Amino acid sequence: MKDEETQNRKAEHIDIAVEKDVNAKTMTTGFERYHFRHRALPEQNFKDIDLSAVFLGKSVVTPFVVSSMTGGTEKAGLINQRLAQAAEKRGWAIGTGSIRAALESEKVAYTYQIRPLAPSVPIFCNLGAVQLNAGYGPNECQRAVELMDADGLVLHLNSLQEVIQHEGDTDFAGLLSKINDLCKELEVPVGVKEVGWGIDGPTAKRLFTAGVSFIDVAGAGGTSWSEVEKSRTQDPVKARAAEAFSGWGIPTTTCIVDVCRRNPGRHVIASGGLRTGLDAAKAIALGAGQAAFGRSILKSAVVSEEALAETMAVKEMELKMAMFGIGATNLEDLQNTDRLIVQGEGKTKSPF
């Protein structure tokens, strides 16, 4: 019964994310506050712009990541196949949704097994960190990695979602020490991400000290999982309470700046409401090493392979155009640019 419950939840999450307005209310990512000072004479050839990056020990053609989103149902399996094929073709890293469903029932494992379709790009599996308090440990995590032939594992933090979710696990006590132990024992790098309410600098520092290899800030301003779970819950108290949190969280840009400033030299992924390659350019200029997209590509993946390919190509073009517009030839140039400005201040804003 537990595995069926998990699979039903996965199916509902896809439908709600695609069909309903579950964006954060009264909260923005903060990207609208930043703009680039145009360089009229870039002194470069657009064709020479290099988007290549390194993640989980592998070189990739772009700094883009397909965020952890889905798995566990036939429909989710088809979406993951499309995402994996596109990620391989275009050189994006890719994660899947929580692999808990496959650990509970091997019959849905195929919906996560995307390695044959994406043999060269970095792949990471994903599990709720709270499961470390529910009987999951290094053995289960290693099994998840092997099941997907993954290059890394991401633990997601979703405390408020678990409170609203009627099947939720809300015991987040003592997780840091268990994350520390897992990082020591797992054979692949471990990352941590939020689900849309953001990670701040001090929290990231504690996680890095515990052995985490990278942080995905997953800030606020995009999909709100309190809104998603409000659409699912049958509990009127939880539904009404969820409404108060539709604007909860730390804006994505605030997360990026805070985490990067307090953790120099660490690998940071920017996600949480990124909609365009221009958003990604701003995120990287603020200090992130990569930019991840979720719901903004999920809708295309549901439609068709062609729609997904076009959506991804547009984001790549937008990033290249932003770099061309400021004279940045590669990601290092973009990260070190002095041409990012905070609107209203009338001067260049250094993220550090």
Side-chain angles (χ1 to χ4, degrees):
M1 289 298 293
K2 188 174 182 181
D3 60 333
E4 291 182 9
E5 186 178 79
T6 301
Q7 292 166 41
N8 290 337
R9 182 169 69 250
K10 301 299 182 186
E12 290 173 0
H13 283 164
I14 295 173
D15 292 340
I16 292 170
V18 171
E19 298 171 6
K20 295 191 176 184
D21 178 10
V22 288
N23 283 327
K25 309 298 188 294
T26 68
M27 168 66 74
T28 68
T29 61
F31 286 115
E32 74 283 354
R33 295 180 59 239
Y34 292 88
H35 69 273
F36 287 106
R37 183 158 47 99
H38 178 62
R39 188 189 295 275
L41 184 60
E43 289 284 5
Q44 66 185 143
N45 187 336
F46 182 78
K47 295 180 180 180
D48 292 335
I49 293 175
D50 179 12
L51 301 184
S52 64
V54 176
F55 182 49
L56 296 176
K58 292 185 174 181
S59 297
V60 281
V61 178
T62 79
F64 291 152
V65 179
V66 177
S67 284
S68 302
M69 285 187 284
T70 194
T73 70
E74 183 177 354
K75 182 177 182 179
L78 175 60
I79 292 171
N80 279 339
Q81 288 174 15
R82 287 177 178 170
L83 290 169
Q85 289 172 324
E88 176 69 19
K89 182 177 180 179
R90 308 205 67 87
W92 292 36
I94 180 172
T96 63
S98 172
I99 199 169
R100 177 180 167 191
L103 296 178
E104 292 176 351
S105 174
E106 291 187 4
K107 66 183 180 182
V108 299
Y110 76 95
T111 66
Y112 298 89
Q113 292 170 326
I114 58 175
R115 177 59 78 189
L117 299 174
S120 69
V121 298
I123 292 176
F124 54 90
C125 56
N126 168 35
L127 186 69
V130 73
Q131 296 307 312
L132 299 179
N133 277 344
Y136 285 66
N139 289 338
E140 289 75 19
C141 291
Q142 184 62 39
R143 180 179 158 215
V145 169
E146 293 172 356
L147 186 150
M148 282 185 57
D149 190 16
D151 301 295
L153 169 72
V154 168
L155 298 173
H156 68 259
L157 303 174
N158 63 335
S159 55
L160 294 185
Q161 180 189 5
E162 296 286 354
V163 172
I164 302 167
Q165 196 176 97
H166 71 269
E167 317 95 327
D169 298 304
T170 57
D171 181 9
F172 277 69
L175 282 180
L176 188 63
S177 64
K178 292 183 178 179
I179 292 173
N180 183 299
D181 293 340
L182 178 63
C183 290
K184 290 178 181 177
E185 296 190 40
L186 202 62
E187 296 178 3
V188 298
V190 176
V192 171
K193 74 181 297 291
E194 238 283 345
V195 298
W197 289 298
I199 294 178
D200 64 9
T203 301
K205 190 174 187 66
R206 293 167 66 201
L207 288 164
F208 281 129
T209 300
V212 166
S213 297
F214 60 95
I215 297 287
D216 182 339
V217 299
T223 301
S224 168
W225 281 91
S226 59
E227 289 292 291
V228 173
E229 295 299 346
K230 184 182 74 174
S231 298
R232 295 185 61 243
T233 185
Q234 302 299 313
D235 184 331
V237 172
K238 289 186 176 182
R240 289 183 60 186
E243 293 177 2
F245 290 84
S246 63
W248 183 268
I250 310 169
T252 299
T253 52
T254 302
C255 292
I256 298 167
V257 172
D258 194 27
V259 172
C260 290
R261 178 184 292 133
R262 296 175 187 268
N263 302 274
R266 297 289 195 168
H267 193 89
V268 176
I269 299 173
S271 74
L274 276 72
R275 294 176 174 84
T276 67
L278 179 54
D279 286 343
K282 294 175 182 179
I284 293 170
L286 287 171
Q290 290 175 283
F293 294 94
R295 190 159 161 251
S296 65
I297 61 173
L298 174 62
K299 292 183 178 182
S300 297
V302 170
V303 173
S304 68
E305 294 177 19
E306 293 75 18
L308 175 60
E310 181 175 320
T311 296
M312 295 170 79
V314 168
K315 296 186 191 306
E316 293 167 19
M317 177 61 73
E318 290 165 343
L319 175 57
K320 284 188 174 182
M321 288 176 67
M323 293 171 67
F324 193 52
I326 62 171
T329 301
N330 52 44
L331 297 183
E332 184 177 1
D333 289 346
L334 180 56
Q335 286 181 315
N336 293 312
T337 186
D338 62 357
R339 305 190 74 82
L340 188 66
I341 298 172
V342 179
Q343 290 183 355
E345 293 189 6
K347 59 182 180 180
T348 301
K349 175 70 172 181
S350 170
F352 304 107

